[in-house]
């Protein structure tokens, strides 16, 4: 389990013409074992923040630490699940899951054991020797999750992992994820622009503003799980967050109108 | 049944052409010296294929069966293609991987490659003889050059098109530079590399025939040139058909290998 501290983080993208302030003054303390959702309209900097925690693109200023250690590069202690799955198509399901362990030069027998357990955990046993091209989107995302779980990393970063899935598969995987999180107790940062998804999953929802990306609302969610999306409490929160996101969405739309006018 | 139908469909035009040709020959429309009849070619081909001498004591049956001129020539040509190709592709692959992965190495070598690439391997013949004399070495050299560039260019392109998401995923899993190269970049580039291999083998096969016309005294290329000196046009055509069949066999083999190696690949065309 690991605690993540995000301290005064700024991120500026220098583009020809003008600079884009993607993140401004982000301060978050994420407790070990917490399930946090980053919520906001497109372009508000959710991926940028997640990539900074993953170590792919470091902040322009400010620091992010995990258990006190500053992040400088990507690493297996912060496993990432990408929206576009990013499975290696030339590896079978089992090989994809085993890859991270092979990199760590684990004993082959141990790798085998772990892979089998994960295949079991994610209901993939029958698909172990398939290639990703022969799997549905939901299946692929299960493999991607298993691949990260194999690392046994205390932190899991997920960038709209269920964004491309149909509603039923999505709910199914959300439940799986909660089950695994419960069982393995990881710290999860989960990016989404679905308000319902964030309320269904998170202990805490961080709503972000559009350009510059700042924290608009830091909302704890205390409803007991499993949560009922049709309950009054759920819907009240959904309306409230919906209003916040809509404001930012509106600013995004205005921005695009302005850009179009300039063009 | 469908397969049989397809086959009959595909065979229609060649068979018709053969029949016309045969009829033309029988009617005396074509000169026997310039264009012998298909039957004459087939008979010659058969003679070319069969062992020249009776089986010797101590010689195994198989060795005897393949002791004819044609098997020997086909083997010689194939040996040259494979050796030359392995040299050319063996140099092109690591070099292409480096050039594809490192912009600095690419910038350093690309101008030279762009100058050398358009020179057809055939144009190296005088140099090849000067440098390597007669025998197999000049053939190896020419074939290696023919195979080098297609494999090189495709390997570079293959490495450059590797989707960044794979690199990010691998870095996230903690892959070292070396692991990244061998387990991610190389396999991600294989569809391109194998396409280059296929083109490279095709070029190697063209070059072997030409190279055999200059510096050696066996092989399919040598044989058809030799046959011309005796005005054996039936043997020339028999040799050409053998070249065609061997080329087809190689290409089929490579394509099978491709399909096996790329069984994970989505955009499989064959
Ligand atoms: N490499 C880059 N160069 C320039 N600008 C960038 C770059 N990456 C992101 N941006 C800009 O930074 C802002 C934040 O982008 P980011 O991808 O983090 O948004 P997001 O919240 O993840 O959006 P989405 O929901 O569409 O994924 C956007 O306005 C985007 O245009
Ligand atoms: Mg994003």
């Amino acid at each position: 389990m690991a605690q993540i501290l995000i301290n005064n983080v700024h991120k500026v993208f220098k583009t020809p013409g003008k600079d884009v302030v993607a993140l401004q003054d982000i301060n978050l303390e994420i407790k070990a074992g917490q399930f946090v959702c980053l919520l906001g309209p497109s372009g508000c900097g959710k991926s940028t923040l997640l990539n900074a925690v993953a170590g792919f693109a470091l902040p322009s200023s400010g620091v992010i630490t995990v258990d006190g250690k500053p992040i400088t590069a990507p690493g297996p202690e912060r496993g990432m699940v990408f929206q576009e799955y990013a499975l290696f198509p030339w590896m079978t399901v089992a090989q994809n899951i085993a890859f991270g362990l092979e990199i760590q030069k684990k004993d082959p027998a141990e790798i085998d054991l772990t892979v089998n357990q994960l295949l079991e955990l994610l209901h993939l046993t029958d698909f172990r020797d398939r290639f990703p091209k022969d799997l549905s989107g939901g299946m692929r995302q299960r493999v991607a999750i298993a691949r990260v779980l194999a690392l046994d990393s205390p932190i899991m970063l997920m960038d709209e992992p269920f964004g491309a899935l149909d509603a039923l598969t999505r709910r199914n995987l959300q439940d799986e994820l909660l089950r695994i999180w419960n069982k393995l107790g990881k710290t999860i940062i989960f990016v989404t622009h679905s308000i319902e998804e964030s309320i269904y999953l998170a202990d805490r929802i961080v709503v972000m503003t559009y350009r510059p990306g700042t924290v608009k609302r830091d909302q704890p969610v205390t409803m007991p799980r499993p949560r009922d999306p049709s309950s009054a409490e759920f819907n009240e929160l959904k309306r409230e967050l919906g209003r916040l996101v809509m404001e930012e969405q509106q600013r995004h739309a205005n921005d695009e109108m302005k850009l179009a006018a300039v063009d | 049944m469908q397969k049989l139908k397809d086959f009959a469909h595909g065979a229609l035009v060649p068979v018709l052409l053969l029949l016309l040709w045969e009829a033309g020959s029988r009617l005396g429309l074509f000169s026997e010296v310039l264009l012998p009849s298909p039957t004459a070619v087939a008979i010659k081909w058969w003679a070319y294929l069969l062992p020249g001498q009776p089986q010797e004591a101590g010689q195994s049956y198989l060795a005897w069966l393949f002791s004819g001129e044609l098997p020997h020539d086909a083997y010689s040509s194939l040996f040259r293609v494979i050796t030359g190709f392995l040299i050319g592709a063996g140099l092109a692959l690591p070099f292409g991987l480096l050039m594809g992965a490192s912009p600095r190495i690419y910038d350093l070598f690309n101008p030279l490659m762009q100058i050398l690439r358009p020179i057809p391997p055939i144009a190296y013949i005088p140099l090849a003889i000067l440098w390597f004399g007669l025998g197999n070495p000049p053939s190896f050299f020419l074939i290696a050059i023919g195979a080098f560039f297609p494999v090189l260019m495709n390997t570079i392109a293959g490495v450059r098109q590797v989707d960044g998401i794979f690199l990010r995923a691998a870095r996230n899993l903690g892959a070292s530079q070396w692991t990244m190269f061998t387990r991610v970049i190389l396999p991600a580039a294989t569809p391109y590399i194998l396409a280059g291999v296929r083109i490279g083998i095709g070029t190697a096969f063209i070059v072997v025939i030409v190279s055999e016309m200059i510096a050696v005294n066996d092989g399919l290329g040598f044989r058809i040139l030799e046959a011309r000196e005796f005005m054996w046009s039936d043997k020339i055509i028999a040799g050409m058909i053998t070249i065609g069949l061997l080329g087809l066999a190689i290409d089929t083999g490579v394509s099978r290998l491709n399909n096996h190696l790329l069984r994970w690949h989505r955009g499989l065309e064959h």
Side-chain angles (χ1 to χ4, degrees):
Chain A
M1 293 239 252
Q3 184 197 41
I4 306 169
L5 271 176
I6 300 173
N7 226 322
N8 277 324
V9 162
H10 290 249
K11 177 80 188 183
V12 182
F13 288 109
K14 300 216 182 304
T15 54
K18 65 169 178 138
D19 293 351
V20 176
V21 183
L23 297 175
Q24 181 177 307
D25 217 3
I26 307 276
N27 286 288
L28 291 170
E29 181 191 333
I30 297 171
K31 290 202 187 67
Q34 203 167 42
F35 195 137
V36 177
C37 273
L38 298 181
L39 181 65
S42 185
C44 71
K46 306 181 296 289
S47 296
T48 306
L49 184 56
L50 201 70
N51 281 332
V53 177
F56 288 124
L58 300 179
S60 309
S61 70
V63 273
I64 303 175
T65 60
V66 171
D67 289 339
K69 277 196 292 266
I71 288 165
T72 54
E77 70 287 354
R78 280 159 285 131
M80 179 115 163
V81 179
F82 302 87
Q83 174 169 9
E84 52 279 64
Y85 319 125
L87 297 178
F88 301 114
W90 52 89
M91 296 184 193
T92 62
V93 167
Q95 287 166 342
N96 264 289
I97 299 173
F99 188 43
L101 297 169
E102 285 166 10
I103 289 172
Q104 294 176 7
K105 305 218 159 43
K106 288 260 162 58
D107 175 58
E110 194 187 325
I111 294 179
D112 234 39
L113 197 71
T114 311
V115 169
N116 286 334
Q117 284 170 353
L118 286 168
L119 287 169
E120 190 100 356
L121 184 71
L122 285 143
H123 311 297
L124 287 165
T125 306
D126 292 344
F127 302 92
R128 64 171 299 144
D129 296 321
R130 298 267 191 103
F131 287 105
K133 68 163 174 142
D134 299 324
L135 301 177
S136 66
M139 285 288 179
R140 284 183 209 178
Q141 208 49 294
R142 282 168 191 274
V143 180
I145 291 171
R147 181 171 71 177
V148 166
L149 290 177
L151 302 171
D152 200 20
S153 51
I155 295 171
M156 233 167 129
L157 307 173
M158 308 180 86
D159 195 352
E160 299 194 39
F162 307 147
L165 306 177
D166 64 83
L168 225 64
T169 312
R170 192 170 181 156
R171 175 51 41 88
N172 190 269
L173 277 178
Q174 287 164 348
D175 288 333
E176 295 273 333
L177 181 63
L178 287 173
R179 180 172 66 92
I180 289 164
W181 171 67
N182 240 324
K183 190 167 161 183
L184 306 176
K186 308 216 176 262
T187 311
I188 297 182
I189 305 182
F190 186 109
V191 167
T192 180
H193 55 235
S194 157
I195 297 162
E196 170 161 335
E197 181 166 64
S198 69
I199 302 174
Y200 192 73
L201 293 174
D203 291 328
R204 171 183 178 192
I205 300 170
V206 176
V207 184
M208 293 179 67
T209 60
Y210 174 78
R211 278 200 196 171
T214 59
V215 176
K216 187 178 178 88
R217 166 77 68 87
D218 194 341
Q219 174 74 47
V221 187
T222 50
M223 278 177 263
R225 294 186 182 86
R227 293 173 184 161
D228 176 5
S230 61
S231 72
E233 203 183 350
F234 195 107
N235 280 287
E236 194 182 328
L237 185 56
K238 192 170 161 183
R239 260 192 303 279
E240 168 68 6
L241 294 179
R243 194 177 55 74
L244 296 178
V245 172
M246 209 51 215
E247 284 172 14
E248 296 309 313
Q249 180 66 45
Q250 199 53 50
R251 289 182 47 208
H252 182 183
N254 289 345
D255 224 34
E256 302 220 307
M257 295 285 275
K258 253 186 277 168
L259 273 178
V262 170
D263 286 347
Chain B
M1 192 58 212
Q2 187 57 41
K3 266 198 166 156
L4 205 70
K5 245 183 167 168
D6 286 348
F7 181 77
H9 189 76
L12 193 65
V13 170
V15 166
L16 248 157
L17 216 66
L18 276 176
L19 285 176
L20 276 175
W21 177 8
E22 182 74 36
S25 296
R26 301 237 164 149
L27 293 171
L29 293 181
F30 315 130
S31 136
E32 229 168 277
V33 181
L34 296 184
L35 187 63
S37 71
T39 14
V41 171
I43 290 167
K44 191 68 187 185
W45 193 79
W46 189 241
Y48 183 25
L49 178 70
L50 289 183
Q53 263 91 44
Q55 191 174 2
E56 287 168 30
Q59 190 182 27
S60 80
Y61 179 73
L62 219 63
W64 172 76
L65 194 67
F66 287 102
S67 70
E69 212 175 19
L70 183 146
H72 175 76
D73 284 337
Y75 168 79
S76 303
S77 296
L78 202 59
F79 172 70
R80 290 184 189 113
V81 167
I82 290 173
T83 312
F85 176 82
L86 286 181
I87 297 171
L91 290 171
L93 185 65
F95 201 47
L97 289 174
L98 277 176
M99 279 180 74
S102 155
R104 280 186 41 212
I105 299 181
Y106 181 84
D107 290 342
L108 214 54
F109 285 96
N110 190 45
L112 179 67
M113 292 303 141
Q114 293 307 336
I115 294 169
L116 294 180
R117 194 165 66 104
I119 305 175
I122 318 291
Y124 285 91
I125 287 177
L127 264 190
I129 295 174
L130 219 60
W131 288 354
F132 299 100
L134 299 179
N136 277 336
S139 289
F140 294 158
F141 173 70
L142 294 169
I143 294 163
I145 286 180
F148 181 80
F149 285 103
V151 176
L152 179 79
M153 299 325 277
N154 275 46
T155 305
I156 294 173
V159 172
R160 294 194 142 194
Q161 61 77 45
V162 173
D163 196 336
I165 190 83
F166 296 140
L167 305 181
R168 299 209 309 158
R171 282 218 293 155
N172 186 240
L173 297 176
S176 65
Q177 284 283 331
W178 178 247
T179 308
M180 188 78 99
F181 222 76
T182 53
R183 306 261 336 248
V184 180
I185 294 177
L186 187 62
T190 38
Y192 279 69
I193 296 174
L194 288 176
V197 162
R198 203 162 167 191
I199 302 169
I201 290 207
T203 316
F205 199 66
I206 295 169
V207 176
V208 74
I209 301 301
V210 179
S211 78
E212 283 172 349
M213 293 183 167
I214 53 162
V216 289
N217 51 21
D218 59 2
L220 297 165
F222 167 79
R223 201 62 65 200
I224 59 176
L225 203 68
E226 181 200 49
R228 186 198 60 99
E229 283 174 32
F230 300 98
M231 301 281 271
W232 290 336
S233 43
D234 48 358
K235 193 162 181 183
I236 295 179
I237 296 172
M240 286 171 65
I241 290 170
T242 312
I243 291 170
L245 291 176
L246 196 63
L248 180 66
I250 291 177
D251 195 58
T252 310
V254 173
S255 145
R256 286 262 166 86
L257 185 73
N258 273 10
N259 287 352
H260 176 71
L261 289 175
L262 296 183
R263 61 198 182 286
W264 53 270
H265 198 244
R266 202 184 254 294
L268 216 57
E269 283 153 323
H270 306 286

